[in-house]
Amino acid sequence: MLRRILTRLGPADAAVLGPGDDCAVLRTSGDLVVTTDTMIEGPDFRLAWHRGFELGWKLAATNLSDVASMGARPVALTLALACPRRTPVGLLEEIASGLDAACRSLAPGCGVVGGDLGTAPVLTGAVTALGDLEGRPPATRSGASPGDVVAYAGDLGLAGLGLSLLFRDGTEPDGTAHDRALARLREEHPAALTAQLAPSPPIALGAEAVRGGATAMMDVSDSLSLDAARLARASGARVSLDSQRLLAGFGLQRGERVPLEAMLTGGEDHGLLATFPRGARLPGGFREIGEVLEASGPEPAARSGKRDDVRVDGERYAPRGWDPYSLPLPGA
Amino acid sequence: MLRRILTRLGPADAAVLGPGDDCAVLRTSGDLVVTTDTMIEGPDFRLAWHRGFELGWKLAATNLSDVASMGARPVALTLALACPRRTPVGLLEEIASGLDAACRSLAPGCGVVGGDLGTAPVLTGAVTALGDLEGRPPATRSGASPGDVVAYAGDLGLAGLGLSLLFRDGTEPDGTAHDRALARLREEHPAALTAQLAPSPPIALGAEAVRGGATAMMDVSDSLSLDAARLARASGARVSLDSQRLLAGFGLQRGERVPLEAMLTGGEDHGLLATFPRGARLPGGFREIGEVLEASGPEPAARSGKRDDVRVDGERYAPRGWDPYSLPLPGA
């Protein structure tokens, strides 16, 4: 099984030694970034919706975007895959192919250098991604300063829209997928479905952003409002978003109308949220969507009992978005 | 929950940036080695036998030994933990404490730099370990030459003995653990039980072995005979083991008598199997257990239909040991 999976995986340029020994060996030119993310059948994906190829693609993409958001170039992934014994090898091969294709497409030169295969009650994939900073400083969440421009690159709200569509129109009352409805959804909303099932974050723009002077950066996995609030808090500031800019930049994405609400609360797009000094020329692909404000000070927040990290058009906004812990999990 | 877990984890010396951002940032002085290993409730461990602390310890130790077996110094781990909602936070805290304690004890300076927490039907821990080769070449499985000395460092057969004892005396007919029997086992066979539940591989000896001229190395996770066969095949040679040397070196380990059979077929000790040029002074902790022979050529093996990778006292030996796929898995 492992051999059949490994043949689907291309090499990684940075690997001095690839899979097959106790460890792979990597050579990087700068500091290394590392992140890990897991996808588990049930809370994180449904095989009724996700094709194996899409699942592998998404597993790579969500980890690559974390590497990109530090300003690093992804160089290698490891994959720990566990599945029930009844799982067809064909599904695991498709997952491997999707993982490899996402690396080739989104982060050329990056590949899977090691892995682990085991049995589990439900399909479980844990990926660790490694990136090379190539001499650049890392872009953290905490570097934004009042006056900075807030910018975004990638899909925004599309993946969340795709998830809402799947929950509303892709599911029978018993929770299983309705094949015909699913096929129609894929046809009628290709951009939203693809963004949800096999997202393509702008991985190369991470390094570009740091070269372009980004002061802070993160990938948006839970929602723009939630993640902007995290960036604001980490930087000791507030983020103010401009609905007109959001609608002008992201109101229509690849033929799909995206409402402002979906942009602010939809998760899983894995685009890049970054801040730049006012006046800096934004790297191609980034659009201005707001600005960084000074923190409001502890008193007003304490008085109202509410935080004041994110504003939309000047008004205080309660962040919300994707919360994996809020979903019911069968059998858990 | 994540905050309570993170407080149990000490820093990693190599981390320029620790947990809390999209990625951690590491600085190494040489090429980097990376490995990943998963432990899943059911096939890989039972909560009835493993205390949380032991589980975390073992999760770290099994990955650290892969890093050590390349001749690298472990610098960082990432942890992806997923569990049922009913899991007490206390158990996750114990796992984190065990993981951290194993790093401090077995690989000082190494620590957890990132992680992921999610829900799953059974407790699942995936660790990725990173090591610094510090300018040394990696020790692979493929570098052994005929005439080399075969040596071993660490426990041998003890962990397998512990597993056999647990299966025989630690379980009720319905497969659950018998608390009193378990307590007696821990008291009567402390070395075997500890080797199985919270092993302490000789991590620092990995780098020592390479400094001492090791030509090939791997950690023994499935059994000495199985892993020696892998090393032999990767090196295009045969490994001949000497039962007198095995019994003299490992027949009595911390008060526990270990039969030859357990040494040859017991898994999960995670000690280091290495080869050295004949006449080289073995680094302290390694004991000579055999020698590397020329491959027998394809013809005899083809004629008999059997491989001839491992010999014991000159006789052909059919390798066998730990096979996670051979165990029944509830619910899979």
Side-chain angles (χ1 to χ4, degrees), chain A residues 144-231:
Chain A
S145 298
D148 282 356
V149 166
V150 176
Y152 186 84
D155 292 337
L156 184 58
L158 262 189
L161 202 59
L163 187 63
S164 301
L165 288 166
L166 283 166
F167 272 120
R168 201 191 61 188
D169 299 332
T171 310
E172 293 287 336
D174 67 354
T176 61
H178 183 301
D179 282 352
R180 209 182 311 166
L182 204 59
R184 195 170 50 231
L185 267 185
R186 284 181 183 268
E187 203 183 302
E188 288 176 1
H189 300 280
L193 270 282
T194 301
Q196 168 57 224
L197 298 171
S200 290
I203 302 302
L205 289 186
E208 277 305 303
V210 170
R211 287 191 202 102
T215 52
M217 185 155 55
M218 67 187 296
D219 88 310
V220 169
S221 50
D222 293 342
S223 83
L224 176 60
S225 60
L226 273 174
D227 288 326
R230 288 171 186 146
L231 187 145

Side-chain angles (χ1 to χ4, degrees), chain A residues 87-127:
Chain A
T87 307
V89 182
L91 176 63
L92 302 184
E93 288 179 312
E94 280 174 43
I95 292 171
S97 291
L99 201 80
D100 190 64
C103 287
R104 306 295 140 206
S105 169
L106 305 175
C110 179
V112 175
V113 298
D116 183 44
L117 192 60
T119 50
V122 297
L123 189 57
T124 304
V127 165

Side-chain angles (χ1 to χ4, degrees), chain B residues 156-182:
Chain B
L156 183 58
L158 261 189
L161 202 60
L163 187 63
S164 302
L165 288 166
L166 284 166
F167 272 119
R168 199 191 65 188
D169 299 333
T171 309
E172 294 287 337
D174 66 353
T176 60
H178 184 301
D179 281 354
R180 212 182 308 165
L182 202 61

Side-chain angles (χ1 to χ4, degrees), chain A residues 223-251:
Chain A
S223 83
L224 176 60
S225 60
L226 273 174
D227 288 326
R230 288 171 186 146
L231 187 145
R233 283 202 294 276
S235 297
R238 282 181 299 168
V239 163
S240 176
L241 301 171
D242 180 331
S243 67
Q244 288 311 308
R245 287 186 183 276
L246 284 169
L247 285 166
F250 302 93

Side-chain angles (χ1 to χ4, degrees), chain B residues 82-210:
Chain B
C83 60
R85 273 151 198 283
R86 62 176 178 272
T87 307
V89 182
L91 176 62
L92 302 184
E93 287 178 312
E94 280 174 42
I95 292 172
S97 290
L99 200 80
D100 189 65
C103 286
R104 306 294 137 208
S105 169
L106 305 174
C110 179
V112 176
V113 297
D116 183 44
L117 192 59
T119 51
V122 297
L123 189 57
T124 304
V127 164
T128 297
L130 301 164
D132 187 350
L133 278 166
E134 301 174 320
R136 292 181 296 277
T140 65
R141 302 175 175 192
S142 58
S145 298
D148 282 357
V149 167
V150 176
Y152 186 85
D155 292 338
L156 183 58
L158 261 189
L161 202 60
L163 187 63
S164 302
L165 288 166
L166 284 166
F167 272 119
R168 199 191 65 188
D169 299 333
T171 309
E172 294 287 337
D174 66 353
T176 60
H178 184 301
D179 281 354
R180 212 182 308 165
L182 202 61
R184 193 169 53 231
L185 267 185
R186 285 182 183 268
E187 201 181 304
E188 288 176 2
H189 301 277
L193 271 281
T194 301
Q196 168 56 224
L197 299 171
S200 290
I203 302 303
L205 289 186
E208 276 306 303
V210 170

Side-chain angles (χ1 to χ4, degrees), chain B residues 20-36:
Chain B
D21 219 293
D22 295 82
C23 293
V25 181
L26 298 177
R27 187 163 297 166
T28 59
S29 61
D31 286 348
L32 191 103
V33 306
V34 55
T35 182
T36 195

